[in-house]
Each structure stands twice: as C-alpha cells, then as structure tokens.
Amino acid sequence: MVNEVFHQLGTEPSVIRELFAYGLQRSAEVGSEHVYDYSLGNPSIPAPKAVNQAITDILQDTDSIRVHGYSMAAGFTETRQAIADDLNRRLGTSLHAGNLFLTCGAAPALISVIKALICDADSEIAVVAPFFPEYRPFVESNGGKLVVVPADVPSFQIRLEALEESLTPHTRALILNSPNNPSGVVYTRSTLEQVAALLQRKSSQYGHPIYIIADEPYRELVYDGVEVPFIPCIYPNTIVCYSYSKSLSLPGERIGYVLIPDWVEEGAGVYAAVAGAARSMGHVCPPTLMQLVIQRCASQMPDLAAYDENRKLLYGALTDMGYVCAKPDGAFYLFVKAPNGDAVAFSQKAKLEHDLLVVPGDGFGCPGYLRLSYCVAADMIRRSLPAFQAMMDAFG
Ligand code: PLP
C-alpha cells in the first residue's frame, strides 16, 4: 500500500514534460531543425563567466572540507550576508543574514513557506491566474486548499474585486509571481499598492496577517527598464522565495532562498516554521559549493540581450500574424490567445501537423491561452514562423 496522494502525483502526466519528450523523439526521427520546441523554461543563455570563474577559484583556493562539507541548515552566514548586502545596495533596505534561509531553489523555498503557513485543514492559499502549476501540489499535498483568483484578461494584472471575493477568514497567504510564468507580465506598482491596501484591510477584519508569498525567480529578467517593484517595501507581511535558476542560469545547481524581513509580523515564528518545514522534508543544507559561488556572485546580473532579441522577434511576428498576446515585459514566456479559443486543440494540431510544441494554458489556470517559452535559439524562432502562420490560417 502506498500514499494515494503521492501515488497520483507521481503518475499523473505533465503536459509540459510530455511535449518536451515528444520533441526529443521527433528530433531523432525528423531532425531537430524541423522541430520547434517552446515547451520548457530551461534557460538558454550561459551562466555569467564570473560564476564559472568562481567555481574554478573556489575549488583551487578553498579547503575541500568547507567546499564539500555540510553547512548550517540556513546556509553560511557570510553567503546570507552577501545576499543581504546586495539587496540593500539595490533596494535601499536594511536586510541582514538572519533574514535569509537558503534553499535548493525556489520550489523548496515555496513548499517550505506554504507548509509553514498551513495551520489546519481549513487553511487556504490564494493564487492569481495564470499561475505556475506546481503551486497546486505544493498546497494540496500539505493539506491546504488552493483558491484561484480568476485571471484579469487581457492585461493579466490583478482584478481587485475577484481577489476580494477569494479572500476568507481561512486565507493564510496570497502567492504572487512577478515577472509572471506563464504570462511574462510584471505587476505594476499601482496594482501591488491596491493589493496591499486590500490585504491590510482583510488582515484587520479577520484578525490575523494574510501574508504575500512573492515567488520571484524572474525578478532580474525584465526588459525595456520596466520596474519590478520589491513587494516587501509595498506590503510589509511579504515573504520572498527566490532562485538563481533563471537569473544566473543555474537551474540544475539548486540554489535559492526564503527572505523573511524583520518587519514581517510574527517573523521569528515564521522563520522557525520555515526551517522546521524544510527539515521535515529532509533539507540538510543547500549545496555548499553553490553557496560559496553565490557569496562571490550575489551581485551578478544576467545578460538579457539574447532573450530580448527572441522576445521582440516572436512577439512582433505573432502579433503581425494576428495573434493576441499579453505584453511580455519580463521572464521568458509569451502567453498567446488561441485563435479559436481552444488551446488544447491548437496545441494538439500544432504538434501533430507542424512539430510545433506549445503548452495549453489550462494547467496554468487559464484555458484558451498557450504558453511559449522563448528561451530557445533565435534561429528556431525564425524557422518556426511559417508553422505559426499555417496554424493561424487554419484556426483564425
Ligand atoms: N516558480 C516559478 C514561477 C517558476 O517558473 C519556477 C521554475 O520554472 C519555480 C518557481 C521553481 O524554480 P526552481 O528551479 O528554482 O526550483
């Protein structure tokens, strides 16, 4: 006998992974130049040179016991202080090492925070559509209820009335992800200020804090100088989950953090519960070599030129063909309306007839839309355009 919830999670198919696997199979059959795979959000720009240099230097200069040994569960104090110093320099904050708990990326950061905040079987975690599909198992496998705030179409900001209707006395937190996967939209300061005012009002009404969990792996992936407001400076009860997976192109290295500023209500208790939640999942410490790398590279920024070129190329070409798409200010995704409103049928036909792999938005809580990950070679985008045109001719 096995746990039913986990058995189902372990066997249910992932649309994204299936498309990706199909793409690999078709590449072997027809040649990769004939397959247009927009399925996975795997960074396509290399990690900054400074990261590779830091790895070389650390392996040469640092005592091997320190490089490969255990650290404290929260991570080296020096690494956490380096991250805090970088945030303080950029954001004018006064964060310190004690505000940070290092994790193996954003996913374990999120699940630790969610686990820490779910107090009973009635606990609800709200999320704004469209959203990263993994939030559902993160919440539901921990006994919580995921409450979806319907999407604000077509801008993909946040509809205040819809959010208000979704908040109840059981709401423990609201997950916000900006820049957003899958829409590429960045929540504006005005949107966030309105959300903050609403949450403040509801927290007072219900007599307990409703936290924002700011899921920010794409914080540094933003174009045309668009502002990504730092949510803890707008809404004090914000817990940040961050990752270097996308910003430093290190998804396989598994390094990120939870940030709980001093000004968060019951912050010490939340920090302790996050540490306990991580411990309950077998977190021992984040990869030590990567901690030492981040200590040296906390202020490194990605070179976004290649993503930006792809963004302009794909957004420009698709909108010229008549596709409707949210303005992609950040991350590396386009969220495109399926021309006839049926994203599943579009994705299936595109796959079978054109080897064009795009993900239907249903799993992101937004049926009728398609997610395209443009962290790919620009050449693939150019070669894929006739397929998009053929699909528009068939569906438009
Ligand atoms: N949150 C969002 C919105 C994501 O898109 C991802 C990964 O794609 C994650 C969290 C998980 O990131 P990590 O690889 O750091 O666990």
Side-chain angles (χ1 to χ4, degrees):
M1 204 160 98
V2 292
N3 180 293
E4 253 180 55
V5 174
F6 295 132
H7 182 270
Q8 196 193 327
L9 255 185
T11 47
E12 78 186 10
S14 148
V15 178
I16 298 175
R17 292 276 159 189
E18 280 190 344
L19 278 173
F20 179 64
Y22 180 84
L24 292 179
Q25 180 206 318
R26 288 293 292 159
S27 293
E29 287 165 12
V30 299
S32 58
E33 67 279 19
H34 301 299
V35 178
Y36 318 114
D37 184 357
Y38 289 97
S39 64
L40 265 195
N42 209 4
S44 58
I45 58 173
K49 282 201 176 71
V51 167
N52 290 339
Q53 190 59 51
I55 294 173
T56 310
D57 293 349
I58 292 163
L59 289 176
Q60 268 170 10
D61 308 343
T62 315
D63 170 17
S64 139
I65 300 295
R66 184 166 163 85
V67 177
H68 301 300
Y70 293 128
S71 74
M72 290 157 66
F76 291 125
T77 306
E78 299 86 337
T79 304
R80 292 183 287 138
Q81 191 58 49
I83 296 169
D85 289 345
D86 174 61
L87 291 171
N88 293 339
R89 187 181 51 75
R90 289 196 281 143
L91 303 164
T93 44
S94 52
L95 301 163
H96 57 86
N99 299 129
L100 287 147
F101 187 92
L102 304 191
T103 61
C104 302
L110 284 160
I111 199 162
S112 302
V113 174
I114 289 167
K115 231 174 161 46
L117 296 181
I118 290 178
C119 305
D120 52 39
D122 294 326
S123 294
E124 294 172 1
I125 306 285
V127 63
V128 180
F131 59 88
F132 181 50
E134 293 301 292
Y135 296 154
R136 187 174 290 288
F138 291 173
V139 171
E140 292 178 351
S141 67
N142 285 297
K145 187 172 160 210
L146 189 83
V147 177
V148 178
V149 182
D152 182 10
V153 177
S155 73
F156 293 108
Q157 292 290 317
I158 300 173
R159 268 200 303 129
L160 262 281
E161 322 77 68
L163 174 58
E164 180 155 10
E165 280 167 22
S166 306
L167 301 175
T168 77
H170 300 297
T171 309
R172 305 285 306 140
L174 167 68
I175 304 177
L176 293 183
N177 167 224
S178 173
N180 184 266
N181 172 9
S183 72
V185 162
V186 177
Y187 295 143
T188 63
R189 181 170 285 278
S190 152
T191 295
L192 293 168
E193 282 172 352
Q194 291 175 60
V195 168
L198 173 62
L199 292 185
Q200 244 133 20
R201 181 159 60 76
K202 286 289 176 182
S203 297
S204 307
Q205 185 185 335
Y206 298 144
H208 63 79
I210 298 175
Y211 296 99
I212 286 180
I213 302 173
D215 179 20
E216 299 197 330
Y218 303 98
R219 189 198 301 147
E220 273 67 53
L221 273 62
V222 65
Y223 310 98
D224 298 335
V226 165
E227 183 198 17
V228 181
F230 189 56
I231 303 178
C233 293
I234 295 177
Y235 184 69
N237 283 330
T238 298
I239 301 162
V240 176
C241 295
Y242 185 79
S243 165
Y244 294 92
S245 295
K246 317 288 175 168
S247 58
L248 296 186
S249 294
L250 295 173
E253 303 296 353
R254 311 310 303 147
I255 186 81
Y257 60 75
V258 178
L259 170 71
I260 305 169
D262 285 336
W263 56 81
V264 166
E265 222 173 312
E266 301 167 22
V270 174
Y271 189 99
V274 166
R279 183 180 172 190
S280 79
M281 291 182 293
H283 169 92
V284 176
C285 65
T288 322
L289 172 59
M290 281 305 124
Q291 292 191 54
L292 297 173
V293 169
I294 297 303
Q295 196 175 314
R296 295 176 186 218
C297 298
S299 60
Q300 284 295 318
M301 288 293 135
D303 176 358
L304 298 178
Y307 292 155
D308 197 17
E309 183 193 336
N310 288 357
R311 178 182 74 110
K312 288 182 178 138
L313 173 62
L314 192 58
Y315 179 72
L318 294 190
T319 48
D320 281 352
M321 290 177 202
Y323 285 95
V324 174
C325 176
K327 190 164 171 277
D329 286 328
F332 39 51
Y333 306 104
L334 288 191
F335 209 43
V336 181
K337 198 169 179 194
N340 74 339
D342 187 343
V344 175
F346 184 103
S347 170
Q348 190 66 5
K349 188 176 168 72
K351 172 179 130 176
L352 295 178
E353 295 184 11
H354 301 283
D355 286 314
L356 173 63
L357 308 180
V358 294
V359 182
D362 300 53
F364 299 94
C366 208
Y369 281 79
L370 299 150
R371 189 193 76 167
L372 279 53
S373 299
Y374 60 79
C375 41
V376 295
D379 186 47
M380 189 204 88
I381 297 180
R382 283 188 207 98
R383 282 184 283 107
S384 72
L385 296 180
F388 279 110
Q389 184 62 64
M391 287 300 296
M392 178 51 100
D393 295 343
F395 273 78

